[in-house]
Amino acid sequence: MLHLYFLHKRIHETMRFIKATEKEIPLIQELAKDSWENAYQDILSAGQITYMLDTMYSYEEILGHLQNPCYHYYLIQDQSDDRFMGFIGYENRYEGAEDTTKLHRIYLVPGYKGKGAGKEALEFLHGEVQKTGSGRIILNVNKHNPAIKFYESQGYRVYGEGIFDIGNGYFMDDYMMEFLIHK
């Protein structure tokens, strides 16, 4: 138990969140590919993973997000070795709702999972969202993704579910989760 606390503390002390710009799009794409292949290989077909990475993480798609003043990407860096652990992408005032932020993306490369980096990333997000006055964070997660247990451990709860047609004959079968920020 003491070892896990030390490891968690170490990650916390060395993590840095860097606001992403257009020049970091190739890095976001690389981190997405590395994390997706690990996270979804047992959940989605290789074809669907490729399709989703090609569409959701195309240069043009990410650039459009970066040009939206409500959409934010942050790279997560381990300052102890300057390696990038992953990234988060979220949108304030999601679909015009002043009080809602959508966490679209939170991904860590395999070597950083289970070491407290995800928890620290969510805490960072909660702090950023509180600055906007928003009181609710929502996200979608695949019904077969083990990350559901992680989100629940961090105070998120399922409030709905949906099957979303993403094109090319593929669907996302997701739970919709929310976290309410106490003001």
Side-chain angles (χ1 to χ4, degrees), residues 43-161:
I43 299 172
L44 304 175
S45 70
Q48 183 166 349
I49 292 171
T50 299
Y51 173 76
M52 292 176 74
L53 285 171
D54 288 349
T55 56
M56 296 169 59
Y57 289 92
S58 71
Y59 190 92
E60 296 75 20
E61 183 74 12
I62 298 171
L63 180 60
H65 296 162
L66 292 172
Q67 291 171 342
N68 175 346
C70 292
Y71 207 119
H72 309 278
Y73 276 91
Y74 282 89
L75 298 166
I76 307 168
Q77 186 179 39
D78 183 344
Q79 293 183 94
S80 69
D81 61 11
D82 290 332
R83 291 178 49 202
F84 287 95
M85 302 177 179
F87 65 96
I88 60 174
Y90 64 93
E91 184 178 1
N92 300 118
R93 293 184 279 292
Y94 181 66
E95 294 185 342
E98 288 293 321
D99 198 41
T100 300
T101 294
K102 179 153 188 185
L103 175 58
H104 289 283
R105 297 145 189 228
I106 178 170
Y107 291 105
L108 297 171
V109 294
Y112 288 99
K113 290 184 177 181
K115 297 181 179 178
K119 180 179 179 183
E120 294 298 329
L122 286 182
E123 288 177 6
F124 171 80
L125 173 65
H126 297 167
E128 292 299 300
V129 169
Q130 282 181 315
K131 292 176 190 176
T132 70
S134 180
R136 181 176 183 237
I137 300 170
I138 61 172
L139 61 85
N140 289 10
V141 60
N142 183 287
K143 289 179 182 175
H144 303 288
N145 191 331
I148 294 166
K149 289 185 187 340
F150 165 71
Y151 291 125
E152 289 174 336
S153 77
Q154 301 306 305
Y156 287 74
R157 68 169 189 84
V158 173
Y159 72 91
E161 57 184 87

